[in-house]
């Protein structure tokens, strides 16, 4: 017997509209497919450290930025948890620190994820635009041990309301 394709879904969430669409899509998947769902938010301490080492930020600014991003992450994860609760879906959430793509990959491996959901920009600016998939998503796609799904469902909010 073949096991279901999606048993464990990990969502990379950063508070953006696109990543919120991925989170909503993940909640719909968890509800309809009865799969486990985990949402991770990464505080990008790698970039903060890089900016501090290059003297773009002083130590106090770097610490303040990390604190603010941590608070944003906690707030965003609580929001997604509430959204899931409205659909009767239990999810796991995790706040991580470090380089975004590597932390998401590590979380997907720890969770034994079958798929990672990321938000995607639906607006292609030009035929020569190579940044349609952001650099973090590109790293995820190239390095993940499981499938990576870029959510571009334009009506995900309406689908979420119907779920």
């Amino acid at each position: 017997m073949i096991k279901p394709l999606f048993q464990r879904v990990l969502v990379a969430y950063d508070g953006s509209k696109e990543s919120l669409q991925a989170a909503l899509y993940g909640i719909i998947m968890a509800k309809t497919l009865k799969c486990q769902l985990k949402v991770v938010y990464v505080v990008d301490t790698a970039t903060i450290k890089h900016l501090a080492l290059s003297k773009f930020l002083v130590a106090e600014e770097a610490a303040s930025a990390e604190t603010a991003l941590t608070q944003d992450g906690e707030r965003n994860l609580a929001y997604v948890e509430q959204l899931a609760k409205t659909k009767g879906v239990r999810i796991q959430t995790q706040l991580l620190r470090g380089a975004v793509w590597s932390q998401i990959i590590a979380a997907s491996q720890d969770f034994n994820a079958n798929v990672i959901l990321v938000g995607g920009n639906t607006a292609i600016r030009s035929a020569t635009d190579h940044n349609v998939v952001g650099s973090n998503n590109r790293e995820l796609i190239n390095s993940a041990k499981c499938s990576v799904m870029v959510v571009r469902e334009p009506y995900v909010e309406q689908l979420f309301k119907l779920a």
Side-chain angles (χ1 to χ4, degrees):
M1 173 134 178
I2 297 175
K3 69 177 184 171
L5 288 176
F6 304 116
Q7 295 176 319
R8 300 170 76 77
V9 177
L10 182 102
V11 176
Y13 184 62
D14 65 6
S16 68
K17 179 183 178 196
E18 292 84 9
S19 70
L20 177 59
Q21 289 181 331
L24 294 175
Y25 199 89
I27 293 167
I28 294 168
M29 287 177 73
K31 182 173 176 122
T32 58
L33 302 175
K34 309 289 187 238
C35 56
Q36 293 181 38
L37 179 63
K38 183 173 187 174
V39 179
V40 296
Y41 185 104
V42 181
V43 176
D44 190 357
T45 56
T47 299
I48 294 170
K49 185 177 180 179
H50 176 73
L51 292 172
L53 288 173
S54 64
K55 307 285 189 223
F56 190 75
L57 293 176
V58 295
E60 295 82 25
E61 290 173 320
S64 176
E66 185 174 345
T67 299
L69 289 173
T70 299
Q71 291 170 346
D72 283 348
E74 290 168 349
R75 224 178 357 265
N76 278 298
L77 289 174
Y79 177 65
V80 172
E81 227 169 348
Q82 284 298 334
L83 289 172
K85 206 176 278 188
T86 66
K87 298 300 175 187
V89 173
R90 291 187 52 209
I91 66 170
Q92 297 177 41
T93 59
Q94 187 176 18
L95 183 74
L96 302 167
R97 288 175 169 67
V100 175
W101 70 270
S102 63
Q103 288 299 313
I104 293 168
I105 288 173
S108 73
Q109 291 171 344
D110 290 345
F111 185 59
N112 228 5
N114 304 107
V115 65
I116 301 169
L117 300 181
V118 296
N121 187 350
T122 57
I124 298 176
R125 293 179 288 276
S126 73
T128 59
D129 189 356
H130 298 290
N131 287 325
V132 173
V133 176
S135 62
N136 283 327
N137 289 351
R138 188 175 300 113
E139 291 293 340
L140 276 172
I141 291 166
N142 291 335
S143 303
K145 304 276 190 254
C146 64
S147 296
V148 178
M149 183 178 194
V150 180
V151 176
R152 290 194 175 106
E153 174 58 53
Y155 302 109
V156 73
E157 289 94 354
Q158 289 86 345
L159 292 172
F160 182 80
K161 289 176 185 176
L162 297 172

